[in-house]
Amino acid sequence: MSNEDVADENEKKIITSGEESYDPETNNEMHLSIERGRRKKMKEMFDDLGALLPQLPSKADKATIVNEAVDYIKVLQETLEKLERKKEERAKHILKQIMGTSSESEKQKGFDKTWAASNMVLNIRGNEAQFSICSVHKPGLMTMIASVLEKHNIELISATISANGNGSTCMIQVHGKQAWEANSMEETYRKAAEEIMPWIS
């Protein structure tokens, strides 16, 4: 066989290294197939994203879809913030209605001190205190509250739990007391309330 024949044969031969073989034509087809798959996947993702946008123009290009998605996310964030504020205001309103945190209701109930947070009202009368809590339903919440009271030597006199229609939120009213000789009862009750707050926020 001449040198030219050997060269021709080498050009046609698949270059082999160990157990792996490399065929330039096959490799090119594989890259094209991967690229087609990637483009198809991207198109499907943009189609799915576009379907979630309520005011997307017809035949929108990719840049338009991305811009509309960014604007829509901003609108959703603003809506969520408004709903959170309304939820907090409603919780405060419910607590005020139930526990009467106005000066008139305080006089009627004879509370000496009232401390209010976003979702808790603490009323103190003598050596007794009433915790009124509005919270989303959480397993073990009442157990945690009881352990905090015990930690601060607050005797649990009574506790009442009521839930709304679907059970997602609940109102908890806890009545406790300390011995008269306890030092700074108001401070102790407030510390207990502050420890409970992170669990109900």
Side-chain angles (χ1 to χ4, degrees):
M1 183 180 293
S2 66
N3 290 337
E4 293 181 358
D5 292 336
V6 171
D8 290 341
E9 188 68 25
N10 287 338
E11 288 179 2
K12 297 176 183 178
K13 185 184 296 183
I14 296 175
I15 301 171
T16 305
S17 176
E19 296 181 356
E20 297 182 359
S21 61
Y22 174 76
D23 184 348
E25 187 174 331
T26 302
N27 190 60
N28 187 49
E29 290 178 357
M30 182 174 66
H31 280 298
L32 289 174
S33 177
I34 292 173
E35 180 63 17
R36 283 194 295 269
R38 187 188 69 83
R39 291 184 179 183
K40 181 181 178 182
K41 183 65 176 177
M42 288 292 292
K43 183 180 183 303
E44 291 174 351
M45 292 173 68
F46 272 101
D47 289 343
D48 290 343
L49 180 59
L52 297 173
L53 304 175
Q55 297 180 346
L56 184 69
S58 60
K59 298 182 180 180
D61 58 17
K62 293 179 180 177
T64 301
I65 292 175
V66 172
N67 288 333
E68 289 290 330
V70 170
D71 292 340
Y72 188 48
I73 290 172
K74 289 179 180 179
V75 171
L76 292 177
Q77 287 176 329
E78 292 174 359
T79 303
L80 179 60
E81 290 173 0
K82 289 179 181 178
L83 291 174
E84 289 291 342
R85 286 195 295 269
K86 286 183 178 179
K87 178 181 176 183
E88 185 174 331
E89 290 171 1
R90 184 171 179 272
K92 289 180 179 179
H93 180 67
I94 292 173
L95 285 171
K96 286 181 179 179
Q97 282 187 324
I98 293 177
M99 298 310 305
T101 56
S102 66
S103 58
E104 181 179 349
S105 58
E106 285 176 27
K107 291 177 181 178
Q108 291 174 353
K109 292 179 177 293
F111 295 130
D112 301 326
K113 298 284 185 178
T114 295
W115 178 78
S118 59
N119 48 356
M120 179 191 291
V121 174
L122 169 62
N123 290 309
I124 302 172
R125 178 176 57 229
N127 68 331
E128 297 184 5
Q130 189 168 261
F131 298 80
S132 301
I133 300 164
C134 179
S135 170
V136 295
H137 177 71
K138 294 180 181 179
L141 179 59
M142 193 60 226
T143 301
M144 183 281 304
I145 293 173
S147 66
V148 171
L149 298 182
E150 182 179 3
K151 172 185 173 182
H152 291 279
N153 297 316
I154 300 171
E155 180 185 349
L156 180 61
I157 299 175
S158 64
T160 304
I161 303 176
S162 58
N164 65 359
N166 57 19
S168 61
T169 59
C170 60
M171 290 294 302
I172 302 175
Q173 295 184 25
V174 177
H175 185 192
K177 71 174 182 178
Q178 277 193 307
W180 277 104
E181 63 270 14
N183 294 325
S184 187
M185 286 180 290
E186 179 183 347
E187 182 180 350
T188 300
Y189 285 130
R190 289 192 60 167
K191 283 183 178 179
E194 287 169 357
E195 287 187 27
I196 294 170
M197 283 297 298
W199 290 82
I200 62 176
S201 58

